[in-house]
Amino acid sequence: MRYLLFDTPETKHPEKAEQPLGHEASNYVKQQLTKADKIELEFDVEKRDKYGRLLAYVYTDGKSLQIQMLKKGLARVAYIYKSRRYLRKFQIAEQVAKNRKKGIWECPGYVTGEGYNSEKWCKGENYAMPEPQEVIPKYDPNGPDRDCSDFETQKEAQDFFEATGPGDPHGLDGNGDGIVCEQLP
């Protein structure tokens, strides 16, 4: 099976070496599929790719696995053909990771229009990534209930949402795609 509208670094390509973050992406998928109580597939225009693999959007416990991976920087939006139902949502999720330089977006030039360029991977002996800065939300995630009107920007709302941990106790993610208050600037 192949996931619609996205691409992860290679781990088992017959002609390519394992690419940076490929193992992490693969492990994340396995972890999410293993712990899920419910796994759902949603099909779009194309049902199979040129290799005969099933093409689908994948949901674990009602959440888009593709969007979760894009937001974590474990995949890029790619392989855009006729199936485009969630393209804009995927692009927004990808932009969240790009803006935060998470995962595949940490090293300029690693992600290309054709996939991944392992020669541009910047982690190694000569490269030290700065320690990640903890995001301190403006509002206490365990405090009173909040809605989108409490935030000035989508980023502020997203940081708050992510600080609350699993679930959506404040009801900021109406469509369950992991991206909150999409109407904010």
Side-chain angles (χ1 to χ4, degrees):
M1 190 190 88
R2 181 166 182 83
Y3 295 76
L4 277 167
L5 297 179
F6 94 158
D7 180 42
T8 60
E10 297 292 346
T11 57
K12 298 179 180 175
H13 193 283
E15 299 167 12
K16 295 180 183 176
E18 183 174 311
Q19 296 172 321
L21 293 179
H23 189 70
E24 289 82 350
S26 179
N27 284 344
Y28 183 79
V29 168
K30 289 175 191 169
Q31 174 194 29
Q32 295 305 305
L33 294 174
T34 302
K35 77 176 190 175
D37 290 324
K38 184 177 182 181
I39 299 168
E40 298 171 88
L41 302 179
E42 180 182 356
F43 302 102
D44 207 332
V45 177
E46 294 106 347
K47 302 286 189 270
R48 297 197 176 268
D49 68 7
K50 64 183 180 181
Y51 303 107
R53 296 177 293 196
L54 198 59
L55 297 170
Y57 301 106
V58 179
Y59 298 87
T60 56
D61 296 326
K63 292 186 179 182
S64 167
L65 184 56
Q66 281 109 311
I67 286 178
Q68 293 174 62
M69 292 186 67
L70 289 163
K71 282 178 48 182
K72 290 182 176 298
L74 294 174
R76 69 185 181 102
V77 174
Y79 301 107
I80 303 166
Y81 303 113
K82 291 179 185 174
S83 296
R84 297 172 182 238
R85 183 175 304 147
Y86 301 113
L87 178 59
R88 183 70 187 128
K89 286 182 181 185
F90 283 21
Q91 290 169 328
I92 292 169
E94 178 184 73
Q95 194 62 49
V96 168
K98 278 184 181 179
N99 291 346
R100 295 187 174 145
K101 296 182 176 20
K102 289 175 77 172
I104 62 174
W105 306 106
E106 292 177 19
C107 304
Y110 177 56
V111 180
T112 73
E114 302 300 315
Y116 302 92
N117 181 352
S118 295
E119 292 176 14
K120 296 286 186 173
W121 184 245
C122 55
K123 287 193 171 186
E125 294 179 27
N126 298 324
Y127 183 85
M129 283 295 292
E131 287 297 314
Q133 299 295 314
E134 181 178 359
V135 175
I136 301 172
K138 185 175 179 179
Y139 302 102
D140 178 4
N142 300 312
D145 190 33
R146 300 286 178 191
D147 61 35
C148 292
S149 66
D150 292 314
F151 305 99
E152 294 177 22
T153 66
Q154 191 278 330
K155 182 182 179 334
E156 184 181 63
Q158 191 72 38
D159 290 344
F160 175 81
F161 172 75
E162 291 176 9
T164 63
D168 184 16
H170 297 273
L172 298 174
D173 186 16
N175 59 8
D177 68 355
I179 302 168
V180 302
C181 304
E182 297 172 60
Q183 74 280 9
L184 292 175

